[in-house]
Amino acid sequence: MRQRLNLSKVPIELKLIISLVECDTSDQVENIDLSLFHGVNWDVFIKQSRHHRIYPVLYKKLQWCSPELVPDYVVQTVAADYKRNTFQMLHLSKVMEQLSKLFSAKRLQILFLKGPLLALDLYGDLSLRTSNDLDVLVPINQLSDAEKLLQDLGYQKDDYIETILNDWKWRHHHVTYIHPGTGVKVEVHWRLNPGPGKEPGFSELWARKRSMSLSKQPIYILSKEDLFVFLASHGARHGWSRLRWIVDIHQLMKMKLEWEEAYKLLKKYGNKHTGFQAIYLAEQLYHTYSKTIPNQKTNKSRKLAQQAVYYLESMINLHSEPLDPEVAKYHKRHLFALMSFQQRVYFILSFLYPYPQDAQTLPLPKNLHFLYFPLRPFIWGWRKTRRLV
């Protein structure tokens, strides 16, 4: 017997959303337990649909509900959100094609990680997934060329990374550009995830890439197996705090993947626990079972899946800082629990590498920055003492 997730503390509004999203036909909607509709705070229902970025998929399901079950204003509100998102995705699609064409003309390589193309790939429809920005991956040796291209188009860098001894190359994984005229945000990645940790290099991902198009311009995206590993690690890093990320996994699991190859990638790069955490969440919430997926789920992956339910219980937004101290403490522990043994070793060793704060505490000429390695324990101890005082 499969061990079930404990969803007792998940709000009834979110439980109803989960049940509705799972339905593929109007008959399935009619078979939803009617008790889920009773006692629902419909204003909270709308807030949940927006927080979890799930309203594009939810819109169609609500069309199958009778007015006796779902108030008209709820359906109209979700419909308005759906239409607004459709225009947003069409606009981003145009920008995506423009960038793909310009990068190709400059002989620059670019992989689109999410955005409208992911909606088309997973859902078969641009309008069925939300996206506020475009995430692109470029080889690190072409990063300056990519940034110059964006600046020539009028994009402005939104965040400036503090760095020392080139630690930005592995401690960080992207930089953000925003166009002041259109408001379009582009995140330029040189890694899939922040370090430290192993992950496939750009050339490896490029060799396995797929080509898609919205019109005539080819646009390159990750292979299905690389996409699964990326979406699993991305969702896990954010605690699966948005239901949309679990639905993405649910959609991907219904596609034809080389699961043995995906498992090899998970194992090679230390993401086995996060991969099976993602699979377990999709199985438990959306009954997404596949006989072709290797039966490698462990007690740890089930435990990690249960830990992720914490983020579904109270609409936690990890991007809204400062975080509640309790949430911050829980998330820090959860991220450590997600790591493989090798990743934990890399993580602990990374504390020995100098931080930009070390240079702020004890400024040294750039040619002497190598001294921060032996001095780091003392500088860290000094800062710790000052904070305690």
Side-chain angles (χ1 to χ4, degrees), residues 220-280:
Y220 299 112
I221 63 172
L222 297 173
S223 71
K224 292 178 183 178
E225 294 73 28
D226 286 320
L227 182 61
F228 172 77
V229 176
F230 169 63
L231 292 180
S233 60
H234 177 271
R237 193 171 76 249
H238 291 87
W240 301 102
S241 53
R242 297 202 193 282
L243 194 63
R244 178 189 65 185
W245 296 323
I246 304 176
V247 178
D248 286 345
I249 297 295
H250 163 67
Q251 293 295 121
L252 193 52
M253 286 172 63
K254 294 193 296 183
M255 300 169 69
K256 292 183 179 179
L257 269 72
E258 295 292 338
W259 284 107
E260 290 293 342
E261 181 62 27
Y263 177 71
K264 289 178 184 177
L265 292 172
L266 289 172
K267 190 175 180 181
K268 181 178 180 180
Y269 296 108
N271 290 315
K272 190 167 63 171
H273 295 309
T274 58
F276 285 102
Q277 179 200 37
I279 291 171
Y280 194 68

Side-chain angles (χ1 to χ4, degrees), residues 92-199:
L92 285 178
S93 297
K94 185 178 179 180
V95 176
M96 186 172 60
E97 285 193 297
Q98 178 197 32
L99 291 179
S100 180
K101 186 175 181 179
L102 290 173
F103 270 74
S104 178
K106 295 284 187 180
R107 298 185 181 276
L108 299 174
Q109 296 170 314
I110 183 171
L111 286 169
F112 286 84
L113 299 176
K114 292 186 285 181
L117 216 58
L118 183 60
L120 192 62
D121 190 29
L122 296 185
Y123 300 86
D125 191 326
L126 290 173
S127 65
L128 291 183
R129 190 182 188 277
T130 65
S131 186
N132 291 324
D133 53 29
L134 294 175
D135 293 77
V136 303
L137 180 71
V138 301
I140 194 166
N141 63 332
Q142 294 182 5
L143 180 60
S144 59
D145 294 325
E147 292 187 320
K148 184 179 184 306
L149 189 151
L150 288 173
Q151 289 169 344
D152 290 343
L153 291 173
Y155 287 85
Q156 298 176 358
K157 188 179 286 189
D158 184 53
D159 51 355
Y160 292 84
I161 296 172
E162 291 185 349
T163 182
I164 187 171
L165 296 166
N166 288 325
D167 68 337
W168 65 271
K169 291 183 179 180
W170 58 272
R171 274 202 169 114
H172 301 273
H173 67 303
H174 71 74
V175 66
T176 303
Y177 279 84
I178 297 178
H179 196 288
T182 63
V184 172
K185 182 166 70 172
V186 179
E187 288 190 354
V188 183
H189 294 241
W190 55 90
R191 289 176 56 93
L192 292 175
N193 300 291
K198 289 172 59 180
E199 65 174 35

